[in-house]
Amino acid sequence: MQPPKHMHRKAPRGPAEDPVPVLHAPPEKLSKEEREAWNVPACISNWKNTRGYTIPLDKRLAADGRGLRDDATINPQFAVLSESLYVAERQAREEVRTRAAVQKRLVLDERERREGELRELANKARMERGGGGAAVAMSAAPASSAAPQEQDAGESRGASSRVRADEESDNDSAESVTH
């Protein structure tokens, strides 16, 4: 058998003698000012309203004492903090901007380097195939300005198409001889 789940507790004994009566002065009639000074508002919670009463907003605001405070002062260190945060944010933005510009510049330099390598490989391939004239003209052109590069690209396309046309005509003539 299990022990009982409830406890029988005895009520505490009262005092052995009768309490000493408290002698009061006769009640006085309170004035309106005294009554308002001693008025304690009812407890109104902003979190619990178990009975579902409709409580006016002014009573809710008076409950937490927001209307009683008049000493709203701002610490002077708050201005220092906000200014330092503003300066730090501005500096961070500037650093991000410079980092992005440097990264962009590195990407452009890498792209130009790759294009230069590809251009050199194309020139070597042309030289090996026998189109030495066009390759020499391209290698002599300056690689720094954009307009001459476009012009060189057009010339090289024209030269390579001429070389291909010459090769095809040579192949045709060789085939006609063999047949």
Side-chain angles (χ1 to χ4, degrees), residues 169-179:
S169 63
D170 290 340
N171 289 340
D172 290 341
S173 61
E175 287 177 10
S176 62
V177 171
T178 56
H179 288 292

Side-chain angles (χ1 to χ4, degrees), residues 4-179:
K5 297 205 186 247
H6 59 280
M7 297 285 291
H8 293 287
R9 295 193 182 170
K10 293 182 181 179
R13 286 187 178 174
E17 339 176 319
D18 289 339
V20 178
V22 178
L23 301 175
H24 293 287
E28 298 177 3
K29 193 78 171 167
L30 292 177
S31 67
K32 187 174 183 181
E33 292 85 24
E34 289 175 341
R35 205 176 316 122
E36 286 178 0
W38 281 97
N39 183 26
V40 177
C43 180
I44 297 172
S45 173
N46 283 329
W47 294 276
K48 291 183 179 181
N49 186 7
T50 55
R51 296 189 180 174
Y53 293 140
T54 302
I55 302 168
L57 287 177
D58 60 330
K59 303 288 189 227
R60 283 194 189 271
L61 291 176
D64 63 356
R66 275 188 254 187
L68 303 176
R69 290 181 294 192
D70 290 335
D71 57 343
T73 58
I74 298 174
N75 192 337
Q77 295 297 322
F78 180 73
V80 174
L81 173 70
S82 62
E83 180 66 25
S84 62
L85 286 175
Y86 175 72
V87 168
E89 181 185 5
R90 190 173 59 208
Q91 183 178 0
R93 286 182 188 273
E94 186 62 34
E95 287 175 1
V96 167
R97 197 175 296 124
T98 10
R99 201 175 305 129
V102 167
Q103 188 70 24
K104 187 176 180 182
R105 186 69 213 154
L106 287 174
V107 167
L108 288 175
D109 290 345
E110 179 67 22
R111 188 178 297 155
E112 287 179 12
R113 185 185 62 77
R114 277 195 210 136
E115 286 178 2
E117 288 176 0
L118 290 175
R119 202 173 296 119
E120 290 296 321
L121 285 173
N123 285 339
K124 285 181 185 177
R126 283 192 202 98
M127 292 279 278
E128 289 174 3
R129 283 196 311 205
V136 171
M138 274 196 56
S139 63
S144 62
S145 64
Q149 287 176 358
E150 292 174 6
Q151 185 179 5
D152 289 344
E155 288 175 4
S156 66
R157 273 186 248 125
S160 62
S161 62
R162 274 186 257 126
V163 169
R164 277 192 226 116
D166 291 341
E167 288 175 359
E168 288 176 5
S169 63
D170 290 340
N171 289 340
D172 290 341
S173 61
E175 287 177 10
S176 62
V177 171
T178 56
H179 288 292

